Amino acid sequence: MAETIDVELRQVTKQFGRFTAVDNVSLKIERGEFFALLGPSGCGKTTTLRLIAGFELPTQGEVMLNGEPVGQLPPFKRNVNTVFQSYALFPHLTVEENVAFGLEMKKVDRKEAARRVGDALDLVRLPDIGHRRPHQLSGGQRQRVALARAIVNRPRVLLLDEPLGALDLKLRKAMQLELKELQRQLDITFIFVTHDQEEALVMSDRIGVMNEGELLQIGRPSEIYDQPNSRFVADFIGDTNFIPCRVESCDDGLAQVAIGDNLLVNAMSATAVSAGQEATLAIRPEKIHLQKIGDEVYHDEANFTGVVEDAVFLGTDTLFKVRLAPSVLVEVLYQNENAIFAELDFGKGDTIGVSWMSSSARVLTI
């Protein structure tokens, strides 16, 4: 069966005067996906969401919903609903009246509206507070009411603009899981805007990373994390060691690069590279293995000796800083409950073995 594309952007650009907020973005989001637009403040993700919602019109390009162009349609004629960070609840209305507001605008029968309001409040686990007003609710409850008001209209696409940003850390983590479960129950396409990498990784089926109006990479969370296509993506999502290097050779996506004093390393190449080119080697701290000198080599694809410069206890983890060469310092992260780590007793000044798999390292040129 052919895939159903709920949302498509075709070379969409949005300019405000001389400022380009969204720059030639093309994107397809399938029916029932939980898709996150991730990036720093000012990168264009909220403007992209507003273009889909109809609050902004594109300067160039086309916005498509369910295969139909909607670039010039106003918001109320699009089968989408938006949940904002500020909740945007009416303070003088009860919870039930807030949730029912959109149904009243559509002149839905009262009995049917009451049933749908009840169903929506049940879905967000607020079945008994319909008589309360927004000021009587907690932040998490107000967010759930905003969600109920959005889903009661049964939109094809639900747009969420940093909806968890105003919540405290513990509640935000709980709501991440609740939102994902709610999306599965509803089978509605969710497009979620966030600057929080953890939110995007935890909830999303796919992530689009944006910066300065451009869509840099789209992929599953594991692809974005393990196979970044640029230094920005690698740096924005998770912690990464960035090591200047020089390309010695490259064959079918596997490059050999020189770091430090001509230490040779094999790594996957995210983009086309050629011999002699200056680049950056990126490797996550948890992908590096430490061992005692003389022990069996754990990863023989990249195997060095290094000197421990610092070891920082972080509670569940310990962060080692290891000097591989005068100009090369890497950070290595170990879980303290790791059985292998329990055998290690490294301190400042110790010479140790350092290794990693070539598939864990990426050669980046941008």
Side-chain angles (χ1 to χ4, degrees):
M1 185 174 66
E3 65 183 19
T4 300
I5 304 300
D6 263 357
V7 179
E8 183 178 0
L9 305 183
R10 296 180 177 177
Q11 297 179 305
V12 169
T13 294
K14 178 61 181 179
Q15 294 176 314
F16 297 98
R18 295 183 178 179
F19 175 68
T20 301
V22 176
D23 190 1
N24 195 34
V25 167
S26 293
L27 169 66
K28 291 182 180 180
I29 300 174
E30 296 181 21
R31 174 71 175 161
E33 265 198 292
F34 197 124
F35 189 93
L37 281 172
L38 175 66
S41 297
C43 73
K45 57 189 186 295
T46 293
T47 301
T48 301
L49 201 75
R50 291 175 63 84
L51 287 164
I52 297 169
F55 299 131
E56 303 288 350
L57 300 181
T59 306
Q60 295 177 5
E62 187 67 81
V63 178
M64 312 283 290
L65 293 177
N66 194 26
E68 299 293 330
V70 296
Q72 302 305 314
L73 287 181
F76 67 89
K77 290 189 176 181
R78 304 187 186 196
N79 192 14
V80 302
N81 268 57
T82 306
V83 178
F84 301 98
Q85 179 178 344
S86 61
Y87 315 135
L89 300 178
F90 299 113
H92 62 288
L93 299 182
T94 66
V95 166
E96 286 180 344
E97 290 167 341
N98 265 284
V99 176
F101 183 81
L103 299 178
E104 290 182 7
M105 294 298 99
K106 293 182 176 181
K107 302 188 184 304
V108 174
D109 175 77
R110 284 190 178 184
K111 185 177 291 188
E112 171 66 10
R115 185 186 66 79
R116 286 168 61 175
V117 168
D119 289 346
L121 289 174
D122 284 343
L123 271 172
V124 298
R125 300 194 293 114
L126 295 176
D128 303 318
I129 66 165
H131 61 286
R132 297 187 194 176
R133 298 188 187 277
H135 74 273
Q136 298 174 304
L137 307 178
S138 68
Q141 288 174 324
R142 288 196 295 271
Q143 186 56 269
R144 288 190 181 95
V145 173
L147 281 167
R149 185 177 62 183
I151 64 178
V152 78
N153 287 306
R154 299 174 179 170
R156 189 174 183 93
V157 179
L158 187 62
L159 309 174
L160 302 105
D161 188 8
E162 305 257 12
L164 309 183
L167 305 180
D168 62 59
L169 179 60
K170 185 174 181 179
L171 183 55
R172 192 162 68 243
K173 287 180 176 293
M175 285 295 294
Q176 289 172 9
L177 300 178
E178 288 188 23
L179 263 181
K180 181 59 180 174
E181 181 57 31
L182 180 64
Q183 190 261 345
R184 286 175 179 152
Q185 292 181 43
L186 294 171
D187 196 28
I188 291 175
T189 301
F190 275 30
I191 304 178
F192 187 95
V193 161
T194 182
H195 65 274
D196 188 315
Q197 55 176 277
E198 180 182 308
E199 282 186 358
L201 292 171
V202 167
M203 294 190 292
S204 307
D205 298 314
R206 286 193 304 153
I207 299 171
V209 183
M210 294 191 70
N211 189 41
E212 296 183 345
E214 296 184 11
L215 189 57
L216 302 181
Q217 186 172 356
I218 301 172
R220 297 190 303 273
S222 59
E223 292 174 335
I224 296 291
Y225 186 83
D226 291 328
Q227 302 169 36
N229 65 1
S230 67
R231 178 165 180 150
F232 177 86
V233 174
D235 194 26
F236 191 76
I237 299 183
D239 296 319
T240 308
N241 291 294
F242 294 109
I243 305 171
C245 65
R246 184 183 66 257
V247 178
E248 298 294 314
S249 64
C250 186
D251 182 28
D252 196 26
L254 182 65
Q256 185 178 66
V257 300
I259 63 175
D261 297 328
N262 288 320
L263 297 174
L264 295 180
V265 180
N266 290 329
M268 308 307 295
S269 178
T271 55
V273 295
S274 56
Q277 187 173 358
E278 299 297 322
T280 300
L281 183 71
I283 183 166
R284 304 285 187 187
E286 71 274 13
K287 300 291 187 179
I288 302 176
H289 183 78
L290 303 179
Q291 61 202 54
K292 297 177 182 178
I293 296 295
D295 284 357
E296 182 180 352
V297 175
Y298 190 75
H299 295 312
D300 59 4
E301 296 172 331
N303 183 32
F304 315 104
T305 57
V307 177
V308 178
E309 292 201 351
D310 202 2
V312 182
F313 179 75
L314 301 175
T316 58
D317 305 304
T318 293
L319 180 69
F320 292 93
K321 297 184 179 181
V322 182
R323 180 74 61 181
L324 298 183
S327 62
V328 181
L329 180 71
V330 296
E331 294 187 343
V332 184
L333 193 66
Y334 262 96
Q335 289 187 348
N336 292 333
E337 295 301 319
N338 188 305
I340 298 176
F341 173 75
E343 301 173 3
L344 305 181
D345 185 22
F346 301 144
K348 188 174 181 179
D350 288 347
T351 299
I352 60 174
V354 182
S355 61
W356 62 76
M357 297 179 64
S358 59
S359 59
S360 297
R362 305 281 288 176
V363 179
L364 306 174
T365 58
I366 57 174

